[in-house]
Amino acid sequence: MKQTEILLTIKLHQELFIDPKRVRLLKEIKECGSINQAAKNAKVSYKSAWDHLEAMNKISPKPLLERNIGGKNGGGTSLTTYAERLLQLYDLLEQTQEHAFHILQDETIPLNSLLSATAKFSLQSSARNQFFGKVASQHIVDSRCIVAVNIQDLAHPLHVSITMRSAERLKLITEKEVMVMFKAPWVKVSAMASEEKSNIFQATVLSMQNEEAILQIKDSSIEFCASIHSKDGWKVGQEVWLHVEPEQIILATLK
């Protein structure tokens, strides 16, 4: 049973444009094609229905209703494309509010970051490794943009390689909030440090299950998820080295 009720109201020009009662009326008009019947279904008087519709049309950027004359149904009233999109937007905003209220209950989600909060309640990804950070620097290497991302509790930046076009599209600047993602198979596990110049981390194997391991970065609370093979002989508690290629890291941010 739903215990939380969030009532969404939208104003235009400081006047009420749409609220749950008006949304119900528009949905009924869409369903039955008659203002008179819609008013009955919405349990409001015909005059009240007209008052609501006139008030909305008065401040709406585009018409909400259109009259259908004749036809096999004998005419009636239908919603314009704009009105139908308005209902869709209202439903999306309600879902967003509901998700936002749910993250209030989870104290592990910071509410001082729009990116991390948005990602937590709206983003689903197959990438097991997802971290939030801020752009530390950018430089160009062989026509690629190398972005250094500072992640809290990680001793040194994570380097991400993206195209120049992607860097422009993401509008990256120093200190901009970003999200980095990479799949478990992209984390390379080895017994000795590789000769790579970036994204090298010492870690401890915390757990192994179904050819997947959770590894804690040394002197950090950060954990990576990596694909492993039992035949390679890895053990829980073993000290290992991790490496992630900069080209295999996905970078995301809000506009």
Side-chain angles (χ1 to χ4, degrees), residues 168-211:
E168 292 174 4
R169 182 170 54 84
L170 294 174
K171 299 179 180 178
L172 299 177
I173 59 174
T174 302
E175 289 297 297
K176 183 170 186 176
E177 282 191 308
V178 293
M179 180 180 185
V180 295
M181 298 180 285
F182 47 95
K183 293 186 175 183
W186 296 344
V187 180
K188 306 303 179 185
V189 184
S190 60
M192 299 179 62
S194 70
E195 296 180 358
E196 301 291 341
K197 296 181 179 180
S198 63
N199 299 347
I200 303 295
F201 303 95
Q202 193 171 7
T204 302
V205 180
L206 291 184
S207 64
M208 297 187 299
Q209 186 175 11
N210 299 326
E211 306 227 328

Side-chain angles (χ1 to χ4, degrees), residues 56-250:
M56 293 176 69
N57 272 312
K58 180 182 177 182
I59 59 176
S60 176
K62 295 182 179 180
L64 299 172
L65 304 175
E66 54 187 13
R67 299 288 296 177
N68 301 320
I69 301 175
K72 64 178 182 179
N73 295 324
T77 302
S78 62
L79 300 187
T80 63
T81 300
Y82 178 79
E84 292 195 1
R85 285 176 57 80
L86 177 62
L87 291 180
Q88 291 175 331
L89 174 65
Y90 192 90
D91 286 342
L92 285 175
L93 290 174
E94 280 194 318
Q95 292 174 40
T96 300
Q97 285 194 135
E98 187 69 24
H99 284 304
F101 188 79
H102 287 327
I103 70 170
L104 176 63
Q105 319 303 320
D106 188 346
E107 295 183 0
T108 65
I109 301 175
L111 294 181
N112 60 351
S113 166
L114 179 60
L115 177 60
S116 61
T118 301
K120 287 291 185 181
F121 70 71
S122 64
L123 181 65
Q124 295 293 327
S125 170
S126 61
R128 290 292 306 274
N129 298 287
Q130 301 180 11
F131 305 101
F132 300 94
K134 293 184 178 181
V135 174
S137 64
Q138 302 176 69
H139 63 278
I140 309 302
V141 176
D142 297 330
S143 300
R144 301 276 295 184
C145 181
I146 307 301
V147 185
V149 179
N150 282 332
I151 297 172
Q152 187 174 358
D153 208 25
L154 207 55
H156 51 85
L158 195 65
H159 290 85
V160 185
S161 175
I162 59 176
T163 64
M164 295 296 296
R165 175 175 288 186
S166 293
E168 292 174 4
R169 182 170 54 84
L170 294 174
K171 299 179 180 178
L172 299 177
I173 59 174
T174 302
E175 289 297 297
K176 183 170 186 176
E177 282 191 308
V178 293
M179 180 180 185
V180 295
M181 298 180 285
F182 47 95
K183 293 186 175 183
W186 296 344
V187 180
K188 306 303 179 185
V189 184
S190 60
M192 299 179 62
S194 70
E195 296 180 358
E196 301 291 341
K197 296 181 179 180
S198 63
N199 299 347
I200 303 295
F201 303 95
Q202 193 171 7
T204 302
V205 180
L206 291 184
S207 64
M208 297 187 299
Q209 186 175 11
N210 299 326
E211 306 227 328
E212 196 170 79
I214 302 299
L215 310 107
Q216 184 168 1
I217 305 301
K218 185 177 181 180
D219 300 325
S220 167
S221 62
I222 298 288
E223 295 177 359
F224 281 11
C225 179
S227 294
I228 59 170
H229 300 286
S230 54
K231 61 182 178 64
D232 292 332
W234 303 116
K235 298 179 181 179
V236 172
Q238 184 175 355
E239 298 291 323
V240 296
W241 288 87
L242 309 179
H243 171 62
V244 186
E245 292 284 352
E247 293 82 3
Q248 292 183 314
I249 301 176
I250 298 170

